[in-house]
Amino acid sequence: MNLSFVWHMHQPDYRDASGVMQMPWVFLHAIKDYYDMPWMLARHEGHKATFNITPSLIEQIKLYYERPQEHDRFLSLWLQDPALLHEADCRWVIKICKSTPFETMAASLPSYVPLYHKEQYENQELVDLEMLFMLSWCGSYLRRNSSLVGALIKKERHYSQEDKQLLLNELSRFTATIFPYYTELHGQGRISISTTPLNHPILPLLMDMNNATKANASTQIPRQPMSLVSDALQQVERAKSLFAETFGFVPEGFWPAEGAVDEKSVGLLKECGIRWIATDEVILFKSLGSKDRNALYSPYNYKGMCIGFRDHGLS
């Protein structure tokens, strides 16, 4: 059996009206996952995969290249001396620092464990909690290849404000290497890279709101819905431009947001030069009117567009 792995790398847009991210998940997954996954793949000769990297993820990761604390509310507070924070901000930082999955991440750092379960902290304990939280999110690549990360993990406790700044500088530099690494592996033929329309829109609804009632007859839609085909076109073209600016080539594949497709949106993507898309088996079975498992395991050609359907249970 030919098996294709497509990893959907996506984060919602955490920016508020001022452009500052209100949650740190893009940064944390950047230092733990977005480099590590292709790096682990590249260590196994012959293994290949496709990584779908969404525009909202691209835009947000790029904000961490320089002075990330200016673009992320959590990092701006994390970098400060806890003794100088307002009580509400301090409580929020502690809440985030205790959100790390315990068994798989926090427990790997012995000095993190007692702090993870405490309710009241001295100031030095808060600094240690903040540092150990950030170190727990450092992935396998950083732990093996960053001498600073390795030294800070070995230190275990009694961290300083200077340690925080040094670590944040190191991690900021690291985020700037993520997308160039994908480009490098793509050039070697080890991975393929695809993307998604710019703001993660449901293309079939942009093009024809009546698609909602075709999918579910009980859906309530506006009385006089507008067709926003021009908006849908911009969503695709602007995603292509951002992708080309980031990776140096034009994408051939798209993962439509939420896997939502219909005949018109597939036609639009094809007109924009997209050669393949991926969606889910539910779409295929609803179109066929039956659960034909044999149809699922072969790429489907629809008017020149190659469509792959995800095995829902396996995924």
Side-chain angles (χ1 to χ4, degrees):
M1 182 169 95
N2 292 318
L3 185 61
S4 176
F5 288 97
V6 182
W7 300 105
H8 182 47
M9 309 297 232
H10 172 60
Q11 289 285 342
D13 197 329
Y14 293 108
R15 291 171 288 187
D16 65 3
S18 69
V20 175
M21 281 176 272
Q22 299 301 298
M23 297 299 283
W25 309 122
V26 169
F27 182 72
L28 297 175
H29 284 286
I31 64 177
K32 186 176 81 71
D33 301 310
Y34 296 138
Y35 192 102
D36 274 34
M37 288 183 68
W39 174 69
M40 291 177 183
L41 177 79
R43 298 175 70 208
H44 296 277
E45 191 63 36
H47 288 37
K48 297 185 178 182
T50 295
F51 292 89
N52 189 78
I53 305 178
T54 66
S56 63
L57 180 61
I58 292 173
E59 290 182 339
Q60 291 178 98
I61 284 183
K62 288 182 176 182
L63 294 177
Y64 290 104
Y65 289 2
E66 295 181 6
R67 298 189 60 77
Q69 66 272 22
E70 295 181 0
H71 307 289
D72 185 304
R73 176 178 175 237
F74 173 77
L75 291 181
S76 71
L77 298 174
W78 178 88
L79 199 57
Q80 297 178 48
D81 186 333
L84 303 179
L85 294 178
H86 294 297
E87 183 179 351
D89 288 337
C90 189
R91 286 200 306 268
W92 185 68
V93 169
I94 292 172
K95 180 180 179 180
I96 297 294
C97 287
K98 295 175 72 170
S99 69
T100 301
F102 182 77
E103 293 293 339
T104 56
M105 293 172 61
S108 70
L109 301 176
S111 54
Y112 192 7
V113 175
L115 294 174
Y116 190 96
H117 294 296
K118 287 196 72 167
E119 295 298 329
Q120 301 293 327
Y121 298 91
E122 300 292 336
N123 197 61
Q124 181 59 58
E125 290 176 324
L126 281 177
V127 175
D128 289 350
L129 177 70
E130 291 172 328
M131 280 292 293
L132 290 164
F133 165 78
M134 195 65 71
L135 290 168
S136 75
W137 278 89
C138 291
S140 297
Y141 180 85
L142 278 167
R143 295 188 186 203
R144 294 188 186 196
N145 294 279
S146 169
S147 57
L148 177 66
V149 169
L152 289 172
I153 288 176
K154 288 180 181 179
K155 186 173 180 178
E156 293 191 345
R157 54 180 58 84
H158 302 307
Y159 295 104
S160 66
Q161 287 298 118
E162 182 184 7
D163 288 332
K164 281 202 223 174
Q165 186 65 68
L166 289 172
L167 179 58
L168 188 58
N169 291 345
E170 176 85 343
L171 299 179
S172 179
R173 287 190 294 268
F174 176 68
T175 60
T177 69
I178 294 174
F179 294 143
Y181 185 56
Y182 280 87
T183 302
E184 177 186 341
L185 291 182
H186 177 270
Q188 296 172 0
R190 299 301 307 275
I191 67 171
S192 59
I193 317 173
S194 58
T195 194
T196 295
L198 188 71
N199 297 116
H200 219 70
I202 307 301
L203 284 183
L205 295 184
L206 274 184
M207 300 181 75
D208 184 357
M209 187 67 71
N210 290 301
N211 275 318
T213 55
K214 292 178 184 177
N216 186 337
S218 64
T219 303
Q220 297 295 313
I221 64 173
R223 292 180 181 177
Q224 296 180 319
M226 296 174 60
S227 176
L228 301 172
V229 175
S230 61
D231 289 58
L233 177 62
Q234 280 200 49
Q235 289 284 337
V236 176
E237 291 294 351
R238 290 176 65 185
K240 286 174 55 183
S241 296
L242 177 62
F243 184 97
E245 173 190 305
T246 302
F247 299 106
F249 63 94
V250 177
E252 295 185 345
F254 260 59
W255 176 272
E258 306 307 324
V261 294
D262 72 332
E263 293 90 341
K264 290 181 180 178
S265 62
V266 171
L268 175 70
L269 289 163
K270 187 173 184 300
E271 289 174 10
C272 292
I274 304 305
R275 297 178 58 187
W276 66 264
I277 61 172
T279 183
D280 190 85
E281 66 176 35
V282 174
I283 302 293
L284 175 63
F285 296 153
K286 195 159 189 175
S287 300
L288 294 175
S290 67
K291 289 191 175 183
D292 183 352
R293 305 302 295 184
N294 291 324
L296 174 62
Y297 295 116
S298 298
Y300 184 76
N301 188 295
Y302 176 76
K303 296 183 178 180
M305 175 69 79
C306 180
I307 308 176
F309 296 93
R310 173 178 63 184
D311 183 308
H312 197 88
L314 186 61
S315 174

